[in-house]
Amino acid sequence: MSPAIEVHATPSQPLGMSPQAFLRDYWQKRPLLIRGALADFPLPITPEDLAGLACEEAALARLIVRDPRRERWNVATGPLDEAVFSTLPKTHWTLLVQDVDKWDMDVAALLERFRFLPRWRVDDVMISYAVDGGGVGAHVDQYDVFLIQGLGRRRWRISDDAQAPKAFRPELELKILAEFTPTHDWVLEPGDVLYLPPGLAHDGVAIGDCMTLSVGMRAPAIAEMLGDLVDSLVEPLTEDDRYTDPDLAPAKDPYEIDAAALARVGHAVARLRELDDAALHDWFGRYITAYRSAQTALPPPRAPTAAELDAALAKGAGIVRFPWARTAWSRRARGAALYVAGSSHICSAAFARLICEQREIAAADVAALSAADKAVLLALLQAGQLVLTRPQRRSRR
């Protein structure tokens, strides 16, 4: 018998089951609707705040308006002009903003509910606000997603038919499916969560005003990964590193690639064969923390010295991680390798966990660092991946 497609959460099992059971039976295999999974999570952002964020220069926002009579879709990308919101129709539009967890710590707190998944697999929290009839059309995503109903209600129709056609409507800017025949139809209430594995067709339509929070995963294409791996292996080579054949013998057939030539080719590309676990670890850590990052940290004009850092912290300054800096770490024979936005640093496992876990680094944690770990901290400050904040001024009475 197939596992249930709809379950109810309990206080002890917010997934409606153990994380082990979810990963075994559903993760990347089949959809699951979890009623009440996040019923206790307060809505971290208002529709007005989301609209304001969509007007920010660096925000990744889209405004999608559908004309249901002519079946036309209009897409505007951010930053949006605040005046546009007063011109919108009463129905059939939706606002989507990506990376909201990078802008708002209350939104980022939502990711703590997903600690059973590797954080480096998480892409972002996207939030959509829609009025009645609003949506983005039937489509497929190439990554896992948890769709969390935050405000109001939304009707979700999905198709778990593996043989369903996946062709898009060629005349539209949006990748909307040309054919969509749903196999399941639900209405989600606040706190309900719908998990969808990659490649599963789905269509969400607002019933009245609603907000949906989407926790999307990262799924690099194998071709992208291989391309980046080869690029990293090629990087140290120069124009002088070439195919050579000083042992060439007279050719029996000038058009044949013989065994001796193939052996020389194997020697030329030996770097691929010599890739050990440590080298693979280092490449993947750097790759996955830099993959499709929406923002790049800017180094400060002048990074503090160790003494200047201590003095600043003593006066009440703080250290915060650049919000778009993706982090991960891996164990080494001694200590750990910390990966931050594509860079690699050797440090202690405790320091690696500290940087990955904490968006704000306390002065007490800095004071307890070893000299080696503090050197890495200073390097991250110099790169702009950590930022030294000014002391808060005390208000006068």
Side-chain angles (χ1 to χ4, degrees):
M1 184 173 65
S2 299
I5 198 170
E6 181 175 346
V7 297
H8 289 265
T10 66
S12 62
Q13 292 189 328
L15 292 171
M17 63 193 73
S18 67
Q20 293 83 354
F22 171 78
L23 294 173
R24 181 192 66 221
D25 296 333
Y26 295 93
W27 178 253
Q28 301 214 322
K29 304 173 187 70
R30 54 179 61 87
L32 177 66
L33 172 59
I34 314 166
R35 296 288 187 185
L38 287 169
D40 64 332
F41 188 79
L43 188 65
I45 191 171
T46 66
E48 292 77 14
D49 288 338
L50 189 70
L53 179 56
C55 299
E56 293 288 339
E57 183 68 31
L60 298 175
R62 290 177 295 160
L63 180 62
I64 300 174
V65 182
R66 177 190 171 205
D67 182 341
R69 288 179 297 178
R70 293 183 291 179
E71 195 52 28
R72 293 184 179 177
W73 300 76
N74 181 69
V75 182
T77 57
L80 302 176
D81 189 326
E82 185 178 346
V84 75
F85 294 105
S86 63
T87 68
L88 294 172
K90 293 183 178 180
T91 63
H92 294 88
W93 62 265
T94 183
L95 171 68
L96 304 100
V97 183
Q98 295 175 245
D99 277 336
V100 185
D101 55 302
K102 316 302 190 301
W103 293 86
D104 190 295
M105 292 187 67
D106 291 333
V107 174
L110 175 63
L111 298 177
E112 291 302 303
R113 303 298 183 99
F114 297 88
R115 288 186 67 89
F116 61 94
L117 298 172
R119 184 58 60 88
W120 54 263
R121 278 281 270 132
V122 177
D123 190 8
D124 73 331
V125 179
M126 182 180 74
I127 300 182
S128 66
Y129 171 76
V131 295
D132 191 55
V136 298
H139 63 286
V140 296
D141 296 318
Q142 298 303 321
Y143 50 84
D144 307 84
V145 63
F146 294 86
L147 301 163
I148 303 156
Q149 194 60 31
L151 175 72
R153 300 188 301 160
R154 186 184 287 268
R155 181 189 183 191
W156 284 103
R157 297 181 300 155
I158 71 168
S159 173
D160 59 5
D161 179 5
Q163 305 304 316
K166 296 293 196 294
F168 302 124
R169 292 175 56 180
E171 78 279 12
L172 298 179
E173 180 181 350
L174 294 169
K175 291 186 176 181
I176 295 177
L177 293 172
E179 299 179 49
F180 177 62
T181 304
T183 58
H184 298 82
D185 191 329
W186 298 291
V187 173
L188 268 63
E189 305 282 349
D192 292 345
V193 175
L194 177 60
Y195 163 73
L196 299 177
L200 193 143
H202 55 287
D203 182 25
V205 178
I207 301 174
D209 294 0
C210 83
M211 288 184 73
T212 301
L213 296 82
S214 304
V215 177
M217 301 294 114
R218 316 176 73 209
I222 299 300
E224 290 180 285
M225 293 174 63
L226 287 175
D228 191 88
L229 174 59
V230 170
D231 286 345
S232 70
L233 294 174
V234 167
E235 186 176 3
L237 300 180
T238 69
E239 282 293 307
D240 294 330
D241 295 296
R242 293 179 176 273
Y243 174 88
T244 60
D245 50 7
D247 58 342
L248 186 66
K252 295 179 180 178
D253 184 326
Y255 300 100
E256 180 188 6
I257 301 174
D258 59 19
L262 198 61
R264 297 187 200 100
V265 171
H267 178 74
V269 298
R271 292 178 63 86
L272 282 172
R273 298 182 180 182
E274 294 169 357
L275 193 67
D276 58 16
D277 288 347
L280 189 64
H281 237 143
D282 186 63
W283 161 75
F284 185 72
R286 290 183 286 108
Y287 169 75
I288 202 62
T289 56
Y291 177 71
R292 293 190 178 182
S293 181
Q295 300 286 340
T296 302
L298 294 176
R302 179 180 176 277
T305 64
E308 290 169 338
L309 175 61
D310 291 341
L313 293 175
K315 293 178 181 178
I319 297 177
V320 297
R321 192 173 70 235
F322 179 62
W324 282 266
R326 299 187 184 277
T327 60
W329 71 281
S330 64
R331 298 182 188 277
R332 292 293 178 94
R334 293 183 178 180
L338 170 65
Y339 308 106
V340 181
S343 63
S344 176
H345 309 271
I346 300 302
C347 60
S348 70
F351 180 75
R353 289 192 185 98
L354 175 69
I355 296 299
C356 292
E357 286 277 2
Q358 303 298 328
R359 290 180 71 153
E360 298 182 359
I361 311 300
D365 291 325
V366 176
L369 295 179
S370 67
D373 287 343
K374 194 166 186 178
V376 176
L377 182 83
L378 290 167
L380 294 173
L381 283 165
Q382 187 173 16
Q385 305 301 343
L386 294 178
V387 179
L388 187 63
T389 61
R390 293 180 178 180
Q392 293 184 352
R393 292 183 178 180
R394 296 180 179 178
S395 59
R396 295 181 179 179
R397 294 185 179 181

